[in-house]
Amino acid sequence: MTHRFLPSVLVPFVAGLMHCHAAQAQAGGPTPSPAGAAVYFIGLKDGDTLPPKTTLHFGLRGMGVAPAGSDRANSGHHHLIIDAPTPALNVETPNDFQHLHFGAGQTEAEISLTPGEHTLQLVFADKNHVPHSPPVISERIKVKVAEQTAPAATQTAPPASGGRQPSPKDAKVYFIYPRNGAYISRNPVIRFGLLNMGVAPAGLEKPNTGHHHLLIDTEMPPLDKPTPNDFNHLHFGAGQTEAKITLPVGQHKLRLLFADAAHVPHDPAVYSEVITVNVTESGKPPRKRYKRRHHSWRSY
């Protein structure tokens, strides 16, 4: 009787151990990731055909890009996995020809692939190259590499009306930090979020890319001309996705504007909503002061 029921007991037990091991492998490392964070390929989907040399654009939502070794919350850098399974997610990502590291904070990269079929996957990881918990990874996609690229894949997007570069559908720029209504210090680190486009330095003309501009206490500039460059219009032409700025104490209005290699907004323009922030010396809301009531003997 005992031996007859032993398999029925062991099978669920072994299956449970395997499930726990898989769950543990998916737990990631010690650095937490925020809810809703995602990494993905921009302008590339499963089944696409690529030339042997191509530029891949990395998309990121809900987190910021920071170089390897930079200890900042909710940030990390990209890793590209080529023709390899998803690496272990609770240890340092390997560094070889199949596991490419972009520790300088790159959001795009030119790679070379041999003709044939390949798999690609993005893994986002912390300052020590260890994926976050929960892990932020893209789906693994299959691509075909041909000797010659199809015309549609290599054609550079023509300028839109007025010489402005076109922006892709559903492109979006937003603040990761701070949020609307937040209390911040005089020297906050502003973190920029971007969807469905890539970041490229000023002067580098590539389709569906651009760089960030921060508008401080000012109206939207003309969208068919280069964005002004002054204390109210800060340029981040090196491709920064975050910046430490200085603000005087008081209330301020902030807006992000994304623009092309020549600092001209795309068509349609990609800009964030205006947010209001409150700057205090401590970076925290001021303490409420309670007035003491003085009672005279007549009130009794």
Side-chain angles (χ1 to χ4, degrees), residues 8-291:
S8 64
V9 175
L10 285 178
V11 170
F13 177 74
V14 172
L17 285 179
M18 294 175 65
H19 176 75
C20 290
H21 179 73
Q24 191 175 29
Q26 293 292 324
T31 306
S33 62
V39 66
Y40 55 94
F41 292 101
I42 298 174
L44 183 66
K45 63 183 184 299
D46 188 64
D48 278 355
T49 299
L50 302 175
K53 181 176 288 187
T54 187
T55 298
L56 301 181
H57 299 275
F58 315 142
L60 181 66
R61 181 175 68 242
M63 298 186 73
V65 176
S70 178
D71 191 9
R72 295 186 182 276
N74 295 336
S75 68
H77 60 282
H78 294 283
H79 300 77
L80 177 62
I81 314 303
I82 304 174
D83 297 331
T86 304
L89 298 175
N90 56 355
V91 295
E92 183 176 343
T93 306
N95 191 355
D96 52 41
F97 291 112
Q98 291 181 290
H99 304 80
L100 305 185
H101 288 225
F102 300 100
Q106 301 97 311
T107 58
E108 64 175 48
E110 185 177 76
I111 64 169
S112 295
L113 296 171
T114 57
E117 292 189 348
H118 298 273
T119 62
L120 303 175
Q121 185 177 33
L122 287 173
V123 174
F124 203 65
D126 66 13
K127 64 174 183 176
N128 296 318
H129 313 284
V130 179
H132 299 75
S133 186
V136 181
I137 61 177
S138 74
E139 294 183 357
R140 185 186 294 108
I141 63 173
K142 290 183 179 181
V143 296
K144 183 178 180 181
V145 175
E147 290 290 353
Q148 293 183 348
T149 312
T154 58
Q155 183 179 3
T156 301
S161 59
R164 295 164 62 188
Q165 295 295 324
S167 60
K169 183 181 179 181
D170 298 329
K172 181 180 178 182
V173 66
Y174 59 96
F175 289 98
I176 296 175
Y177 177 85
R179 300 289 186 178
N180 187 41
Y183 283 85
I184 60 177
S185 67
R186 296 182 69 250
N187 298 107
V189 175
I190 310 296
R191 303 177 63 212
F192 320 138
L194 182 65
L195 283 176
N196 296 328
M197 294 190 76
V199 176
L204 185 61
E205 294 187 7
K206 291 195 174 184
N208 298 338
T209 67
H211 61 282
H212 293 283
H213 300 76
L214 177 62
L215 311 184
I216 304 175
D217 298 328
T218 187
E219 299 299 322
M220 185 75 76
L223 298 178
D224 58 348
K225 298 178 181 179
T227 306
N229 191 354
D230 53 39
F231 291 112
N232 296 104
H233 305 79
L234 304 185
H235 288 224
F236 301 101
Q240 301 98 310
T241 58
E242 63 177 43
K244 186 174 183 178
I245 66 172
T246 299
L247 293 170
V249 171
Q251 193 172 82
H252 300 277
K253 294 188 179 298
L254 307 178
R255 169 176 260 164
L256 288 172
L257 176 62
F258 205 64
D260 65 15
H263 312 284
V264 178
H266 300 76
D267 188 12
V270 181
Y271 54 86
S272 73
E273 295 181 355
V274 175
I275 67 169
T276 299
V277 296
N278 303 284
V279 177
T280 62
E281 290 291 350
S282 64
K284 300 178 181 179
R287 291 185 178 182
K288 293 182 179 180
R289 294 184 179 182
Y290 296 94
K291 293 183 179 180

